[in-house]
Amino acid sequence: MRIFVILILVVVFSSCVRNKGGQMGQNQSAADGKSFEVAEVIQGNTYTYMKVKENSGDKWMAVSKQEIQPGDVYFYEEGLPMSNFHSKEIDRTFEEIYFVSSISKTPIAKSMPMDEMGSMEGAGDAHIHTGKASAEQNSSITLEKKAGEITVGEIFSKRNEFSGKEVEIRGIVVKVNREVMGKNWIHIQDGTNDGEGNFDLTVTSADLADAGDEITLKGKIILNKDFGYGYSYEVIMEDALILSIKSEKDKAGDVKM
């Protein structure tokens, strides 16, 4: 969903803010020791929305769902502001709301280096995704491909050849982030890699698939795509169409007894 990637952008955003002194006011430095007191809590299915009291006054914040009570005091590093943001899960539009990656009842330690950060994947104190696959390659994924069929490994190893071109690729869905910035973000693997640790291809699409599905996609390969706030991809497939889907149930039906 849309707020998922907003949350995963926040920590990267914070490092960007620290490099642009004076442009973001109270979000200028993680050393400021920012804290707030919770005045009101609204629980969604996945996220917790809080009206908080801070030095600058009252404002709304959102964090991945957790138990929070009015009167609680929390520390945080940075918040990514969004204007006129509509939350589908609670059917409410916020004139301004700040998305934070984590909150703590004790001062938050210095941020981890980017190459040590992983995926947020729902936990309130998890770390952000930096545009490169942080999970280990799924060793259970193996796809037998026909001659001439492109692999994920080839997309990365021959990226310059594929840059700006539409290609067709088949893979297994390992993760899906729905309705983020108006698109679904699909991660696929096929058991191959480029020998340099790249094995997970990120795809944006208006179409949707579920984790575990075997899908065939057609989309344009874009290199060094920068979405702002320091959040970028070396290789990404954009605006892809899903040409075919074989669900896990369908695959189970292919097993011959």
Side-chain angles (χ1 to χ4, degrees), residues 112-166:
M112 295 177 67
M114 279 186 160
D115 59 358
E116 295 179 17
M117 294 178 179
S119 168
M120 281 194 60
E121 202 59 59
D125 59 351
H127 300 111
I128 60 101
H129 178 62
T130 61
K132 211 173 180 182
S134 57
E136 292 184 1
Q137 185 172 10
N138 190 334
S139 60
S140 67
I141 293 177
T142 55
L143 275 182
E144 185 177 342
K145 296 204 170 184
K146 300 175 183 177
E149 200 174 355
I150 297 172
T151 67
V152 169
E154 287 176 318
I155 291 289
F156 284 97
S157 64
K158 300 178 181 178
R159 65 186 69 182
N160 291 329
E161 295 180 27
F162 292 121
S163 178
K165 297 179 181 178
E166 281 198 340

Side-chain angles (χ1 to χ4, degrees), residues 8 114-121 127-138 152 156 159 174-175 177 186-190 192-194 196-203 231-236:
I8 63 180
M114 279 186 160
D115 59 358
E116 295 179 17
M117 294 178 179
S119 168
M120 281 194 60
E121 202 59 59
H127 300 111
I128 60 101
H129 178 62
T130 61
K132 211 173 180 182
S134 57
E136 292 184 1
Q137 185 172 10
N138 190 334
V152 169
F156 284 97
R159 65 186 69 182
V174 296
K175 187 168 93 172
N177 299 328
I186 303 169
H187 291 253
I188 65 167
Q189 298 180 20
D190 62 6
T192 66
N193 66 77
D194 67 347
E196 296 182 3
N198 295 301
F199 51 81
D200 182 290
L201 179 64
T202 301
V203 180
Y231 191 78
S232 62
Y233 288 86
E234 293 179 3
V235 181
I236 188 170

